[in-house]
Amino acid sequence: MARDDTVHRKAVLSVLDEARWHLTADEVYEEVKKTLPRISKGTVYRNLRKLRDRGDIAALELSGALTRFEGRREPHYHFVCESCGCVFDLDEPVDHELNARVEKKSGFRIAYHHLEFRGRCSGCENMQTRH
Amino acid sequence: MARDDTVHRKAVLSVLDEARWHLTADEVYEEVKKTLPRISKGTVYRNLRKLRDRGDIAALELSGALTRFEGRREPHYHFVCESCGCVFDLDEPVDHELNARVEKKSGFRIAYHHLEFRGRCSGCENMQTRH
DNA sequence: ATAACTGCAAATGTTTTGCTGGAAG
DNA sequence: CTTCCAGCAAAACATTTGCAGTTAT
């Protein structure tokens, strides 16, 4: 994090670094408000975009869901529970050769891929209730 | 397609079956309007949802983009050009064992996965212009 | 001075919904 | 009669933007 960041930007980043979770913009907003009650949503959005562009955080754009943000870590895949909507990080190693393989076959210049698993998490699987 | 579908629903489905492309809801709307000029967007959205729920079409919810719809075909992966936004189907075979493998390791009940490659398509790669 | 940043409110763009009337079974 | 579906307009929703004032360099 750049030392000369504003209080607001630092607060946004710190919320994401401390969260062991993937937060939506609105959740970040609610969290930051606890420290900076006068912060506005516009500022949160502006800072999230800036931090993402700069690579300090990652934006998770999963299928048919709100964008979620997470503190920067190594690339990894995600599991989405279609019952409760929770998002989990997976330990599954990222397949680094996949891009090159598909690039050769398809002719497209591939920069990265995005892999997401969907189903029901253990919690939802145990309760019989669905949705 | 159910024989007793309405004219409107049939038109939506037929647009998607004939398109060799992935259309946004709005593009479907514009296309259907050529045949049924008085159709409303609400109707297009309602029918897209119904057709998707029923499995007659697939909804592509790619990272950070509008949902696109395609006529039903075998599962396949997609490539998204980050320069022009185009979406291409890939021939790459779907990895059917992946779900079971990750399910065993993670403990989540995995129903399916979603794999999407991103980069620059050949056309954009040749022109030096970006975005 | 100038550039970057803020709060606020308004605008944007996609998708959903309420309502009322019509068509189908 | 009852259910489904239509058009239309309004609502909902996340996100972006314009503006005028503030802070930092």
Side-chain angles (χ1 to χ4, degrees):
Chain A
M1 129 163 86
R3 181 167 3 289
D4 56 330
D5 269 343
T6 62
V7 182
H8 306 75
R9 187 137 64 230
K10 280 183 195 154
V12 167
L13 184 55
S14 125
V15 160
L16 285 171
D17 277 341
E18 271 146 42
R20 39 172 159 26
W21 201 240
H22 315 82
L23 305 179
T24 62
D26 197 65
E27 286 163 350
V28 172
Y29 168 64
E30 289 301 332
E31 201 57 35
V32 174
K33 254 203 319 198
K34 293 180 185 165
T35 326
L36 302 170
R38 299 191 44 83
I39 198 172
S40 73
K41 259 189 193 174
T43 299
V44 170
Y45 274 100
R46 273 186 282 239
N47 281 321
L48 284 172
R49 202 177 345 148
K50 172 148 291 198
L51 287 167
R52 189 244 290 144
D53 291 346
R54 196 208 261 177
D56 287 337
I57 63 174
L60 267 185
E61 293 170 333
L62 300 169
S63 313
L66 294 190
T67 299
R68 292 179 170 274
F69 300 86
E70 55 182 355
R72 200 58 166 155
R73 289 200 306 300
E74 311 80 64
H76 55 276
Y77 300 139
H78 293 92
F79 170 81
V80 181
C81 174
E82 301 209 307
S83 186
C84 68
C86 293
V87 180
F88 300 88
D89 294 337
L90 290 177
D91 282 333
E92 194 67 15
V94 169
D95 185 344
H96 292 293
E97 293 146 47
L98 188 55
N99 295 346
R101 213 156 62 229
V102 174
E103 177 164 320
K104 190 177 287 183
K105 268 183 71 170
S106 68
F108 298 122
R109 170 86 59 214
I110 293 175
Y112 62 97
H113 66 266
H114 170 97
L115 174 57
E116 160 190 344
F117 295 88
R118 306 185 67 100
R120 285 166 65 82
C121 71
S122 335
C124 291
E125 197 62 16
N126 293 338
M127 304 188 274
Q128 291 317 52
T129 56
R130 47 207 59 206
H131 213 191
Chain B
M1 132 163 85
R3 185 169 354 294
D4 55 332
D5 270 344
T6 62
V7 182
H8 306 74
R9 187 139 61 230
K10 280 183 195 154
V12 167
L13 184 54
S14 125
V15 160
L16 285 171
D17 277 340
E18 271 146 43
R20 40 173 159 24
W21 201 239
H22 316 82
L23 305 179
T24 61
D26 197 66
E27 286 163 350
V28 172
Y29 169 63
E30 289 301 332
E31 201 57 35
V32 175
K33 254 203 319 201
K34 294 180 186 166
T35 326
L36 302 170
R38 298 191 45 81
I39 198 173
S40 74
K41 259 190 190 171
T43 300
V44 170
Y45 274 100
R46 272 186 282 240
N47 281 321
L48 284 172
R49 200 176 348 147
K50 173 149 289 197
L51 287 166
R52 189 244 289 145
D53 291 347
R54 195 209 260 176
D56 286 337
I57 64 174
L60 266 187
E61 294 170 332
L62 301 169
S63 313
L66 293 189
T67 299
R68 294 180 169 272
F69 299 86
E70 55 182 355
R72 201 56 166 158
R73 290 200 305 301
E74 312 80 65
H76 55 277
Y77 300 140
H78 293 91
F79 169 81
V80 180
C81 174
E82 301 209 307
S83 186
C84 68
C86 293
V87 180
F88 301 88
D89 294 337
L90 290 176
D91 282 334
E92 193 67 14
V94 169
D95 185 344
H96 292 293
E97 293 146 45
L98 188 55
N99 294 348
R101 213 156 62 231
V102 175
E103 178 164 320
K104 190 177 288 183
K105 268 183 69 170
S106 68
F108 298 122
R109 169 85 59 210
I110 293 176
Y112 62 98
H113 67 266
H114 169 95
L115 175 56
E116 161 190 343
F117 295 89
R118 305 185 67 100
R120 285 166 64 84
C121 70
S122 335
C124 291
E125 197 62 15
N126 293 338
M127 304 186 276
Q128 292 318 51
T129 57
R130 46 205 62 204
H131 213 193

